[in-house]
Amino acid sequence: MQTHVKTNDKKDLIPKSFLQSGNNLPITTSISFKHPIIQDIIDIDKEHFGLYSENIYYSMINVFLTDPYDYMVFLDDKGIDYETVNSFDVFCLLFNDYIERIQTLSNEYSEEQITKLFQNNIYFSAFKFFLGVESFFIAKDENGNKVIGYGDGQFLFDSATYDYITEFIRKINGIQDSEKIYPEDEWAKQILIEDERERLKKQAKKHENGEEETNKNRLGNLISSITWSCNGGVTPFNRNQLHMYDLVDGINRTDKLLSYKNTMTGLYAGCIEKKNINFNELHWST
């Protein structure tokens, strides 16, 4: 089987300076995609004083992370080649699949219960939190392209805007694009899909047995790191006002500074040769 691996090398759509501003991402003239502060996230589950806020937050984030590569098994089950669709296509497919699964419960639940499931689903919750709209629907524009609408037929976003949303979500939360395997032929691609299918089965089994919780304590660990490991400007009294990008970027910058200091110490101690150091990549300000 011939394959090759490479990391994501696509051009960034959103500059770091905008992310550092803390501004929301403009979507339409009247709607923006929220760049939350930590307190916004804690307040998601006010009913339980924030006990389940972190899990709900990361579930809402996942609504917008729909790289076809990550859903190759889901797409294969529908007879779709993951290399022929984009992230927006997958978002629409997943949403429709989610709604269809709710509809199949109509024989088991009352009409009132089904209505509640529709109203409180994770997609609508995510759109309300990040975009401030109660619900949305999938429609088509005059050219037959899928778009997202809301309200009484108002346009919200299309595939191009969705790319900005996905990048925004990834960057403010420190979610990296993973390395991808690119099969050289259809045979190799099918093997890749079946390997991923087996991995997902094992992951599901671990989850059922309570052996694995993907996002458990991630936000708490980030908050702890920025509070106690950085330069002292962030304290338990002001940390909840940090925007998510500042939280993630502050930790990454501190790690880079520590790496720089350790490398320079090794250089001065004669443990590292200067010719083996790429100072452009190493410096903490880059």
Side-chain angles (χ1 to χ4, degrees):
M1 178 178 69
Q2 291 185 326
T3 61
H4 62 281
V5 179
K6 68 177 182 180
T7 55
N8 176 44
D9 57 359
K10 65 182 179 181
K11 186 177 180 180
D12 290 340
L13 298 172
I14 305 172
K16 286 184 178 180
S17 56
F18 179 80
L19 298 170
Q20 290 167 337
S21 73
N23 290 333
N24 297 333
L25 179 70
I27 301 300
T28 70
T29 55
S30 59
I31 293 179
S32 297
F33 195 94
K34 180 185 288 186
H35 184 171
I37 61 174
I38 295 172
Q39 190 63 53
D40 290 331
I41 297 170
I42 294 172
D43 288 343
I44 289 173
D45 181 33
K46 284 186 176 180
E47 181 182 356
H48 302 97
F49 304 98
L51 181 62
Y52 304 110
S53 293
E54 181 173 354
N55 286 339
I56 297 171
Y57 178 69
Y58 284 112
S59 293
M60 292 193 297
I61 283 175
N62 284 334
V63 164
F64 302 100
L65 300 180
T66 53
D67 188 329
Y69 185 91
D70 296 329
Y71 286 92
M72 63 173 69
V73 173
F74 168 78
L75 294 169
D76 185 65
D77 289 342
K78 291 185 174 295
I80 301 172
D81 184 342
Y82 70 89
E83 293 187 311
T84 65
V85 292
N86 59 35
S87 294
F88 184 66
D89 293 328
V90 178
F91 171 84
C92 294
L93 286 167
L94 287 168
F95 175 68
N96 286 334
D97 186 73
Y98 185 89
I99 296 302
E100 286 173 7
R101 281 188 281 123
I102 292 178
Q103 292 172 334
T104 59
L105 300 173
S106 58
N107 294 328
E108 302 176 34
Y109 294 90
S110 67
E111 184 176 341
E112 182 181 350
Q113 289 173 315
I114 293 296
T115 300
K116 190 174 182 180
L117 285 174
F118 272 116
Q119 293 174 342
N120 297 327
N121 73 73
I122 192 63
Y123 283 88
F124 288 173
S125 296
F127 271 62
K128 185 175 182 179
F129 178 77
F130 285 109
L131 293 156
V133 299
E134 295 290 337
S135 62
F136 68 94
F137 54 86
I138 300 171
K140 289 189 177 182
D141 62 16
E142 60 275 11
N143 297 316
N145 299 313
K146 289 180 180 178
V147 298
I148 301 300
Y150 73 103
D152 56 356
Q154 295 167 282
F155 172 82
L156 186 55
F157 61 78
D158 56 13
S159 179
T161 305
Y162 186 77
D163 289 340
Y164 280 85
I165 291 173
T166 298
E167 182 175 311
F168 189 67
I169 279 282
R170 284 189 177 278
K171 287 193 171 181
I172 66 173
N173 292 287
I175 300 172
Q176 301 296 322
D177 284 322
S178 58
E179 289 187 345
K180 296 179 181 179
I181 297 174
Y182 292 82
E184 296 290 348
D185 52 44
E186 289 301 316
W187 180 74
K189 182 189 293 184
Q190 199 57 45
I191 290 177
L192 175 65
I193 292 171
E194 294 308 315
D195 285 346
E196 176 65 6
R197 192 186 305 278
E198 287 302 312
R199 187 190 71 80
L200 291 174
K201 287 180 180 178
K202 291 178 180 178
Q203 185 181 67
K205 189 173 182 180
K206 286 183 178 180
H207 182 72
E208 289 176 4
N209 296 333
E211 298 176 22
E212 184 175 326
E213 294 184 48
T214 306
N215 294 309
K216 186 178 181 181
N217 294 325
R218 182 176 189 270
L219 181 60
N221 289 334
L222 290 173
I223 295 172
S224 177
S225 296
I226 197 73
T227 305
W228 308 114
S229 301
C230 293
N231 61 13
V234 178
T235 72
F237 307 105
N238 63 17
R239 62 191 181 188
N240 283 7
Q241 298 307 307
L242 278 177
H243 283 90
M244 282 302 294
Y245 184 78
D246 292 331
L247 173 64
V248 172
D249 188 53
I251 293 170
N252 290 339
R253 190 63 55 178
T254 299
D255 285 345
K256 195 161 188 178
L257 176 58
L258 182 62
S259 176
Y260 174 79
K261 289 180 176 179
N262 289 340
T263 301
M264 296 307 294
T265 298
L267 175 64
Y268 297 145
C271 300
I272 304 174
E273 293 187 27
K274 187 175 182 180
K275 64 180 182 180
N276 294 328
I277 302 174
N278 185 329
F279 286 95
N280 290 329
E281 293 184 0
L282 174 67
H283 200 273
W284 61 273
S285 66
T286 58

